[in-house]
Amino acid sequence: MKIKIYILTMLTAALGAMNVAAQSETDNNNKLHSPDGLFNHLSIGVSTGLSGSGIDVTMPVHRLVTVRAGYSGLHLGDIKFKAINTAEELAGYALVEDDAVRRAQMSDKIELAAKPNFWNMFLLAEIHPFNNDSFHFTAGLYVGSKNFVHFRNTNEGALGFLYDANNKVDDYNRAFGTNFSPIGLKFGDYVFTADENGNIDVMMKTNVVKPYLGIGVGKHIAQNHRLSFALDFGLIFWGSPKFLLNNGKEIKSSGKEAGITQVLSWLKAWPSLQVKVAYKIF
């Protein structure tokens, strides 16, 4: 009788141990969404897309929530294009006869270089509403560069004639109460004027702090393997972009309903489509 009781006890213990082991294995495969999933995993990932290329780390802070922190940057080379010299459009007999204005009118188009240079640190929270499902909502902040694009002439210091001509226009407007437009290089509805060094030096600026909202599919932390893949789409809300000269003066648009002005009026957010691969460290 004692032997039977002993055997029964051993079988019960063995079955209990198997059940605990099975439950432990299930928990290990589902730790991201387990109640004790706080900081129990860490992955490092690289991404690329419309907001640039970057690197980040991800860890769970709740069974349905992960946090992601990192850096992304959009660093491209010069994009060169020909810009129209607005001196060609100047009407007014007295001004046209001025030597500085006449020199400015000898060049109809001048080469400019636009250089995107957009970088940010970010902290994002991802909500997984359906437990193990790869779909997630994302919200957080990007903090970093406010200079999205830098515009500059490619022939360094060679635009002194535009600076002189624009000074003549300013003097003429003040003296005679006229309203002639500035002389410079046209970019959509904006005119970029040269500085005293003979250069066009203009920044397209946005906000330093930029909220982010988005959705995504895939895993930023693998559950059963080391590698994981994710695709995220969202909007980086950077405010209304502005064009500023290197002295901090804002360039006002000459139009309100068309061209680049209309584009910037609704482009208060930068679209971000990112593809990411991550490696789970633990």
Side-chain angles (χ1 to χ4, degrees):
M1 185 65 179
K2 290 183 179 180
I3 295 176
K4 290 182 179 180
I5 293 174
Y6 176 76
I7 293 174
L8 183 59
T9 302
M10 292 297 294
L11 286 175
T12 302
L15 289 173
M18 291 174 62
N19 184 59
V20 169
Q23 184 62 43
S24 177
E25 181 66 22
T26 301
D27 289 343
N28 285 335
N29 291 336
N30 194 30
K31 274 188 176 181
L32 177 59
H33 302 287
S34 63
D36 60 347
L38 181 64
F39 304 130
N40 65 341
H41 289 309
L42 177 69
S43 73
I44 183 169
V46 291
S47 62
T48 188
L50 295 179
S51 59
S53 299
I55 185 169
D56 62 57
V57 293
T58 306
M59 61 178 54
V61 295
H62 182 268
R63 66 187 184 90
L64 299 179
V65 181
T66 60
V67 293
R68 186 155 52 99
Y71 165 89
S72 66
L74 185 64
H75 308 287
L76 301 177
D78 290 345
I79 302 172
K80 297 179 181 180
F81 62 97
K82 293 284 188 177
I84 297 173
N85 176 5
T86 61
E88 288 284 306
E89 304 171 355
L90 190 63
Y93 183 79
L95 268 175
V96 171
E97 290 300 312
D98 186 271
D99 287 342
V101 175
R102 292 174 68 178
R103 284 196 303 271
Q105 290 178 326
M106 295 176 67
S107 299
D108 59 345
K109 291 186 178 181
I110 299 171
E111 188 175 64
L112 279 182
K115 185 174 184 178
N117 186 25
F118 190 55
W119 62 267
N120 291 280
M121 307 296 289
F122 58 83
L123 179 63
L124 306 174
E126 297 171 351
I127 301 172
H128 300 255
F130 308 118
N131 276 340
N132 291 324
D133 196 279
S134 63
F135 175 80
H136 53 269
F137 297 102
T138 307
L141 290 176
Y142 279 72
V143 180
S145 170
K146 61 182 179 181
N147 301 326
F148 183 60
V149 181
H150 184 194
F151 296 88
R152 194 173 178 86
N153 50 294
T154 56
N155 49 344
E156 178 73 21
L159 303 183
F161 61 92
L162 289 181
Y163 175 75
D164 293 338
N166 193 51
N167 280 343
K168 290 294 183 180
V169 170
D170 286 343
D171 292 343
Y172 195 89
N173 285 338
R174 283 193 296 268
F176 298 100
T178 53
N179 191 32
F180 288 109
S181 298
I183 288 181
L185 302 185
K186 182 178 286 189
F187 182 73
D189 306 318
Y190 296 84
V191 176
F192 297 165
T193 56
D195 60 22
E196 64 274 12
N197 298 315
N199 293 314
I200 300 290
D201 193 353
V202 175
M203 288 287 188
M204 178 181 167
K205 292 184 177 289
T206 64
N207 294 340
V208 173
V209 179
K210 314 166 189 76
Y212 174 88
L213 290 175
I215 58 174
V217 293
K219 303 286 187 180
H220 290 278
I221 300 178
Q223 288 184 313
N224 302 318
H225 306 282
R226 289 291 182 182
L227 288 179
S228 62
F229 300 89
L231 177 68
D232 289 87
F233 174 76
L235 294 173
I236 302 173
F237 294 91
W238 61 5
S240 297
K242 298 177 181 179
F243 291 102
L244 299 180
L245 296 171
N246 61 349
N247 61 6
K249 182 180 178 181
E250 182 179 351
I251 303 172
K252 298 297 184 181
S253 167
S254 60
K256 298 296 183 185
E257 303 298 334
I260 191 69
T261 303
Q262 187 178 38
V263 172
L264 293 182
S265 68
W266 59 260
L267 191 62
K268 292 180 173 60
W270 178 254
S272 176
L273 178 65
Q274 296 292 112
V275 179
K276 175 185 171 182
V277 58
Y279 177 82
K280 185 169 69 174
I281 298 175
F282 62 85

